[in-house]
Amino acid sequence: MNKYLIAAIFSVASLTLIGCVEEPSKSASQRPLQAIDVAEVLVTPTQKWHTYTTRLEAPEQVSLMPRVSGVIEQVSFHEGDQVKQGDLLFKLDSRPFTAVVAGLKAQVISAQAALQQLRSEAQRAVRLVQRKAISTEQAESRASALRQGEAQLASLKADLSAAQLDLEFTAIRSPIDGVISRTNITRGNNILAGQTVLTSIVSNKEMYGYFDIDERTWNGSFDDVTAASHQQVVMQKVGQTDFPYSGYINFIDNRINPSTGTLRVRAVFDEKNKGLRAGSFARVRLAANEVTDQVVIPSRAIGTDLKNSFVLTVGEDDVLQYTLVELGERYGSLRAITSGLKAGDVIAVNGPARVGPGMTIKPNSVDIDSAGVAFTLSPVDEPLTASTKEL
């Protein structure tokens, strides 16, 4: 009796254990697959970007100094104004200069009268010599006096011209178009010719950006570029995430700097680029002339494993696979892949944050968004097709 009871209890326990083991397995097989966004890689023409830093410079800048010494009588501009060439900026007390001009004019009139007398005497001496009424020596003396009188008149006229220029220079005018700075010297102060800096003016129709390109990069990507090529560049100021300003290279130095192994290049940004100021820190980007088709994917799809970069590709039966890649240039939120992927490959666009290799997923197909990202630059006489953003 005991033997049968023990056997029955053993059978019931075995069935219970089997049920416990089979139930989770059945539940696991019915668990839904995780939905993951996947996308086919983007293949597009691209150019290699090069980025350099610069300080913007005005093509024309003037430290305004007076040409004559005197006392400031009038300041005729508002600080920070836009001024035009020839606009009156400062007026000096002109009375001392007017007096000098008046005195020299009187001397010129006196010298002209004396010269007229000497000319008459020289002409009379010629007639008297012919009649032998005076000696040749006397005639020559009168001719010499005439030449001295002419020279004295010419000297006085030159002094008068210089004095009139000094009088004109008491009105200090803008030599260029541009934006004027603050007034360093105010009304009533005495200023010295060629020494006192009154203010400064910088032109603002165009801005220059000088930067240095290393010799290897220049020879590899820009060796055929000349100033006449107008190689296009884009630029951003501090605090900006995109490159909204467009310009072109208009100067290439005539030699490599042997100390640094770099070539000095200048980009110009014309007046259509509003809001640029001399002295601003900026980043200039230019693209290599060669255009190649490359695979481009979102940066967030890329994972790192020690020294390697990888992406998760979708293989057979929707199983994720570990794929090593080599990274290329950044294009905003996208990244070029130089090896490891090819056209038609499908990747997990959000990378390995939620999934890993070997997982079976439920793919949710999406498109890679490339709106607002420029992979190449347009010709300089055409607007950029899109702003070039930097991560």
Side-chain angles (χ1 to χ4, degrees):
M1 184 67 180
N2 290 337
K3 293 182 179 180
Y4 293 110
L5 180 60
I6 291 172
I9 294 172
F10 211 61
S11 299
V12 172
S14 299
L15 291 173
T16 303
L17 288 173
I18 292 171
C20 291
V21 171
E22 291 181 350
E23 188 64 30
S25 300
K26 183 179 180 181
S27 175
S29 64
Q30 294 177 351
R31 185 179 302 163
L33 298 176
Q34 186 173 359
I36 296 296
D37 289 342
V38 300
E40 184 177 338
V41 298
L42 180 66
V43 179
T44 185
T46 62
Q47 289 174 297
K48 188 175 181 180
W49 296 96
H50 300 274
T51 305
Y52 302 93
T53 58
T54 185
R55 289 278 181 185
L56 296 182
E57 297 182 19
E60 296 181 299
Q61 46 192 346
V62 175
S63 293
L64 191 64
M65 292 185 287
R67 296 189 181 186
V68 294
S69 301
V71 177
I72 296 178
E73 189 177 68
Q74 177 184 340
V75 178
S76 304
F77 66 92
H78 295 290
E79 297 174 325
D81 274 359
Q82 176 80 34
V83 296
K84 298 291 185 182
Q85 182 177 359
D87 286 353
L88 179 65
L89 304 179
F90 295 89
K91 185 72 173 67
L92 306 184
D93 184 359
S94 61
R95 290 173 297 177
F97 301 93
T98 302
V100 172
V101 169
L104 287 172
K105 283 182 177 179
Q107 292 182 48
V108 167
I109 292 173
S110 175
Q112 287 173 336
L115 181 63
Q116 184 63 34
Q117 178 65 27
L118 292 172
R119 188 174 287 114
S120 297
E121 290 180 358
Q123 291 172 352
R124 187 163 53 251
V126 172
R127 292 192 299 269
L128 291 175
V129 167
Q130 290 174 351
R131 291 183 304 193
K132 297 183 179 181
I134 62 172
S135 65
T136 303
E137 183 179 355
Q138 288 176 315
E140 290 178 351
S141 177
R142 292 185 182 183
S144 177
L146 174 61
R147 289 193 293 273
Q148 290 178 10
E150 291 172 342
Q152 183 179 7
L153 178 59
S155 177
L156 287 172
K157 285 183 176 180
D159 290 342
L160 177 59
S161 295
Q164 288 173 330
L165 277 177
D166 288 345
L167 178 60
E168 182 181 337
F169 291 153
T170 60
I172 302 173
R173 301 180 182 276
S174 175
I176 62 172
D177 295 347
V179 178
I180 196 165
S181 183
R182 67 183 184 88
T183 305
N184 296 328
I185 307 295
T186 55
R187 185 176 61 179
N189 286 284
N190 190 57
I191 58 177
L192 300 178
Q195 297 184 35
T196 306
V197 178
L198 300 173
T199 186
S200 62
I201 308 170
V202 295
S203 61
N204 62 342
K205 287 187 177 180
E206 294 181 336
M207 284 294 161
Y208 287 161
Y210 289 90
F211 53 96
D212 297 320
I213 300 178
D214 66 274
E215 188 175 1
R216 181 185 297 275
T217 299
W218 181 266
N219 293 338
S221 300
F222 306 105
D223 196 39
D224 58 342
V225 174
T226 65
S229 304
H230 284 188
Q231 182 82 7
Q232 193 179 13
V233 303
V234 291
M235 182 191 69
Q236 70 173 184
K237 298 189 297 185
V238 172
Q240 295 179 324
T241 57
D242 58 353
F243 287 72
Y245 304 102
S246 61
Y248 60 90
I249 292 175
N250 73 335
F251 166 76
I252 301 169
D253 210 348
N254 57 5
R255 63 191 290 267
I256 299 289
N257 187 329
S259 300
T260 61
T262 58
L263 181 66
R264 176 56 59 94
V265 174
R266 182 180 71 199
V268 60
F269 303 90
D270 58 26
E271 57 188 339
K272 69 183 179 183
N273 294 282
K274 303 298 183 182
L276 298 182
R277 291 182 181 274
S280 296
F281 179 84
R283 301 175 70 197
V284 176
R285 301 190 78 184
L286 64 159
N289 288 333
E290 183 181 5
V291 179
T292 58
D293 288 335
Q294 290 197 72
V295 172
V296 177
I297 65 175
S299 296
R300 67 179 185 274
I302 303 169
T304 56
D305 181 7
L306 297 178
K307 295 182 179 180
N308 300 319
S309 297
F310 68 93
V311 297
L312 297 176
T313 55
V314 181
E316 294 183 3
D317 300 324
D318 297 330
V319 176
L320 294 179
Q321 298 177 352
Y322 178 95
T323 303
L324 287 174
V325 294
E326 291 185 9
L327 306 182
E329 295 292 319
R330 292 180 184 270
Y331 300 96
S333 61
L334 305 180
R335 191 72 178 262
I337 302 299
T338 58
S339 69
L341 294 176
K342 62 183 183 301
D345 284 346
V346 178
I347 62 169
V349 295
N350 293 314
R354 298 169 53 194
V355 290
M359 286 186 60
T360 303
I361 63 169
K362 179 182 179 181
N364 176 37
S365 296
V366 297
D367 293 326
I368 295 177
D369 184 12
S370 61
V373 179
F375 299 102
T376 61
L377 284 177
S378 304
V380 68
D381 55 350
E382 298 178 6
L384 290 177
T385 56
S387 62
T388 305
K389 295 187 177 181
E390 179 75 15
L391 289 179

